[in-house]
Amino acid sequence: SQKIEQNSEALNIQEGKTATLTCNYTNYSPAYLQWYRQDPGRGPVFLLLIRENEKEKRKERLKVTFDTTLKQSLFHITASQPADSATYLCALHSGYALNFGKGTSLLVTP
Amino acid sequence: NAGVTQTPKFQVLKTGQSMTLQCAQDMNHNSMYWYRQDPGMGLRLIYYSASEGTTDKGEVPNGYNVSRLNKREFSLRLESAAPSQTSVYFCASSEASDVADTQYFGPGTRLTVL
């Protein structure tokens, strides 16, 4: 069956450091992978989409890599800030809709 | 431009009661979705509508029905609520159901079934 796995343990880092979150998947052959951010009590918000032929994509302090051989995506937030504290979800298309990982909670402390 | 709106925000039901969750989008999107989110389970797709006039089951459709009323509106109905349906429900929309389409989510409905 198709699976999307993200670290269930929360990631705690200090302000200013780089946060790295991992998304692994099995039984997908994705052309695209997406990352979303979810704040408590709110719906997910789209952050970045990366194509299979893009090794890396950047948006401001965010960087995503996509390795279809390893079946893995890494999501980096550089110079992290307390406002970056949230849950981050990766998502892959199942053929008719997005399937989401369970998300990794990030806490950035001053 | 409100994006995706959902009503109500909160609801408490007794077992066996029925209710309809409403969702509307003003982005002229073709595809709409209903998810539920439970602790430790992540987002799970209940039903989706790839285009106006079509609806299909997702991963967890049992106990639910949907109606794509028009291009803007997609409702989710619980005919006889059960405690297992206590959850946070999110509606989402996208331009189409293509693999590259991103989804826009509503603020969610927090439902408790006693």
Side-chain angles (χ1 to χ4, degrees):
Chain A
S1 62
Q2 293 178 320
K3 286 186 182 177
I4 302 172
E5 294 178 340
Q6 296 184 255
N7 274 353
S8 57
E9 288 185 22
L11 179 62
N12 294 342
I13 65 166
Q14 253 188 331
E15 183 175 7
K17 302 289 187 185
T18 295
T20 298
L21 286 69
T22 304
C23 174
N24 294 301
Y25 59 89
T26 54
N27 293 322
Y28 283 93
S29 297
Y32 303 87
L33 185 144
Q34 302 185 28
W35 282 90
Y36 288 74
R37 168 182 172 142
Q38 186 173 23
D39 291 288
R42 310 190 79 160
V45 174
F46 169 74
L47 293 175
L48 279 169
L49 177 149
I50 185 166
R51 294 173 172 76
E52 62 176 339
N53 61 353
E54 294 178 311
K55 296 301 180 190
E56 180 180 298
K57 191 155 188 180
R58 292 175 186 261
K59 178 183 176 183
E60 298 172 352
R61 294 184 295 110
L62 308 180
K63 184 179 85 171
V64 172
T65 63
F66 190 16
D67 189 326
T68 55
T69 302
L70 290 179
K71 297 187 184 302
Q72 182 181 80
S73 175
L74 298 178
F75 179 84
H76 306 272
I77 306 176
T78 57
S80 59
Q81 303 167 1
D84 295 325
S85 298
T87 297
Y88 292 87
L89 311 170
C90 72
L92 292 168
H93 211 273
S94 65
Y96 53 86
L98 283 178
N99 288 345
F100 287 84
K102 294 177 183 178
T104 298
S105 176
L106 173 66
L107 179 62
V108 181
T109 52
Chain B
N1 192 340
V4 179
T5 57
Q6 292 182 237
T7 55
K9 285 187 167 44
F10 301 93
Q11 184 72 48
V12 178
L13 292 177
K14 294 181 179 177
T15 297
Q17 288 185 316
S18 62
M19 79 161 295
T20 300
L21 281 66
Q22 306 286 355
C23 173
Q25 53 90 9
D26 62 2
M27 296 173 282
N28 201 34
H29 284 169
N30 290 301
S31 301
M32 297 185 73
Y33 312 85
W34 276 106
Y35 293 89
R36 61 178 288 174
Q37 188 173 39
D38 304 291
M41 299 295 294
L43 282 162
R44 292 183 292 169
L45 183 67
I46 305 171
Y47 271 93
Y48 69 100
S49 172
S51 60
E52 186 179 356
T54 69
T55 60
D56 285 286
K57 295 178 182 179
E59 181 185 356
V60 288
N62 290 346
Y64 305 95
N65 284 302
V66 291
S67 295
R68 183 75 183 265
L69 304 169
N70 47 56
K71 191 171 185 179
R72 288 188 65 248
E73 298 172 290
F74 188 38
S75 63
L76 178 72
R77 182 159 178 84
L78 287 70
E79 290 291 352
S80 178
S84 60
Q85 294 178 305
T86 294
S87 188
V88 181
Y89 292 85
F90 289 102
C91 177
S93 70
S94 62
E95 283 195 30
S97 57
D98 185 76
V99 292
D101 284 320
T102 59
Q103 292 189 1
Y104 296 80
F105 284 80
T109 294
R110 187 173 295 273
L111 174 67
T112 300
V113 183
L114 302 174

